Amino acid sequence: MPVVTRQIGPCFAAEVEGVDLTTPLSRQDIAAIHAGMDSYAVLVFHDQPLTDDQQLAFTRSLGDIEHAIGTSLRAPDEYRLPTTFADVSNLDQHNRVFTREDRRRLFGLGNRLWHSDSSFKVIPAKYSLLHARSIPSRGGNTEFADMRAAYDTLDPETRAQVEGLVSEHSQIFSRQQLGFTDFTDEERARFAPVRQTLVRTHPVTGRKSLYLSSHAGGIVGWPVPEARAFLRDLVEHATQRQFVYAHRWRVGDLVMWDNRQTMHRARPFPADEPRDMRRTTLAGESPTAVQAA
Ligand SMILES: [Fe+2]
């Protein structure tokens, strides 16, 4: 098998070698990548000088793409990339770095909080594939936390407590934590909360994981402060350093993670330096919970 995985850091991240993502992959390679994702949850591919088309082709070879429509504060005429990409750069449509006060930048700072991509969508994302086109001179790591290990190490009482709980997710909740609250009425309607189960079971391995995200701002049937305190305790437990892998980016890296089994966050970097990261996303298969009527 040409795809080789080598474990790095904690046991849920691995490097993949012997694969060139700029060219179409064989069925065996694709199966090996899915198998690697099932067992590890974070895969790192170094030295992949992908174009947008090549990144899209590789993503599509793994499954259906999730489009990024209406998920940021960019107006339709401010998109730098097509909606097949989530633009997680700090660049405007003219490739200029956002000014420090730009509300699109301030909204994007929500990515510094631990989250799972698209947990604010009724059908949340499966995998995210993030490719580094340009990186700042320092900082800007992405950290990952293993939500299976987090679940496995819950004390028995908490493990019983989380079973069957449903949380409410919205980008309004995550931004609220940073004091970003100046949403328009249109944005508030667009970011209306969705429901997600708090425990997920992996469809292939059967392993359970905590489904947490900074977007979670409530638990159905619970008073809000109690829910937020409980969620905060779970995040604190889940992101202990022994459950975390910190990825230090090199240009040309592609890192792929399973949003069903991990959380991640971006780390700070100089605000005046470009960081061009392009994310493609694999769509999830179904809602995790029944939505509110
Ligand atoms: Fe993210």
Side-chain angles (χ1 to χ4, degrees), residues 58-70:
F58 171 55
T59 307
R60 288 198 168 106
S61 72
L62 299 173
D64 292 333
I65 282 199
E66 177 190 285
H67 284 254
I69 299 172

Side-chain angles (χ1 to χ4, degrees), residues 88 111 113 115-118 128 215 257 259 264-266 279:
V88 288
N111 287 325
L113 304 178
H115 65 283
S116 176
D117 287 336
S118 301
S128 291
H215 307 308
W257 63 89
N259 289 295
H264 61 281
R265 65 173 179 176
R279 192 187 95 207

Side-chain angles (χ1 to χ4, degrees), residues 45-47 130-132 247-255:
F45 303 77
H46 291 298
D47 305 315
L130 191 58
H131 188 238
H247 185 71
R248 191 172 177 162
W249 290 94
R250 303 190 328 219
V251 170
D253 280 353
L254 182 133
V255 178

Side-chain angles (χ1 to χ4, degrees), residues 51-255:
T51 64
D52 287 353
D53 285 345
Q54 288 165 341
Q55 184 172 344
L56 280 172
F58 171 55
T59 307
R60 288 198 168 106
S61 72
L62 299 173
D64 292 333
I65 282 199
E66 177 190 285
H67 284 254
I69 299 172
T71 53
S72 75
L73 298 192
R74 288 176 194 261
D77 60 347
E78 293 173 345
Y79 278 63
R80 190 176 67 103
L81 303 172
T83 60
T84 42
F85 284 84
D87 192 347
V88 288
S89 75
N90 58 347
L91 303 171
D92 70 13
Q93 69 270 38
H94 308 295
N95 284 305
R96 289 181 306 225
V97 175
F98 288 138
T99 59
R100 194 167 181 188
E101 297 291 333
D102 192 302
R103 72 191 289 272
R104 296 166 297 184
R105 169 179 183 267
L106 300 179
F107 181 82
L109 292 182
N111 287 325
R112 290 204 197 158
L113 304 178
W114 287 106
H115 65 283
S116 176
D117 287 336
S118 301
S119 74
F120 49 81
K121 292 186 176 179
V122 171
I123 299 179
K126 186 179 180 185
Y127 302 164
S128 291
L129 299 86
L130 191 58
H131 188 238
R133 303 293 171 92
S134 72
I135 58 175
S137 61
R138 61 186 191 280
N141 288 357
T142 303
E143 295 182 346
F144 299 91
D146 186 356
M147 295 297 107
R148 301 165 301 186
Y151 178 84
D152 291 344
T153 53
L154 288 174
D155 63 80
E157 190 182 335
T158 310
R159 196 179 308 165
Q161 206 174 9
V162 294
E163 198 63 48
L165 290 181
V166 172
S167 54
E168 296 177 304
H169 294 232
S170 165
Q171 295 199 90
I172 292 173
F173 298 143
S174 47
R175 274 55 189 182
Q176 217 172 42
Q177 294 187 46
L178 295 180
F180 184 102
T181 54
D182 74 328
F183 293 102
T184 65
D185 289 344
E186 181 275 323
E187 287 161 353
R188 283 183 188 282
R190 184 148 52 89
F191 298 144
V194 304
R195 294 184 170 186
Q196 307 290 1
T197 183
L198 195 53
V199 177
R200 299 188 74 165
T201 303
H202 191 280
V204 176
T205 65
R207 285 192 71 180
K208 287 188 171 183
S209 54
L210 279 179
Y211 192 41
L212 296 170
S213 189
S214 60
H215 307 308
I219 294 173
V220 175
W222 284 38
V224 169
E226 188 179 0
R228 292 200 183 179
F230 184 65
L231 290 166
R232 188 180 279 230
D233 281 347
L234 291 177
V235 169
E236 193 173 306
H237 165 75
T239 57
Q240 297 173 72
R241 295 315 289 183
Q242 68 265 31
F243 303 141
V244 171
Y245 163 65
H247 185 71
R248 191 172 177 162
W249 290 94
R250 303 190 328 219
V251 170
D253 280 353
L254 182 133
V255 178

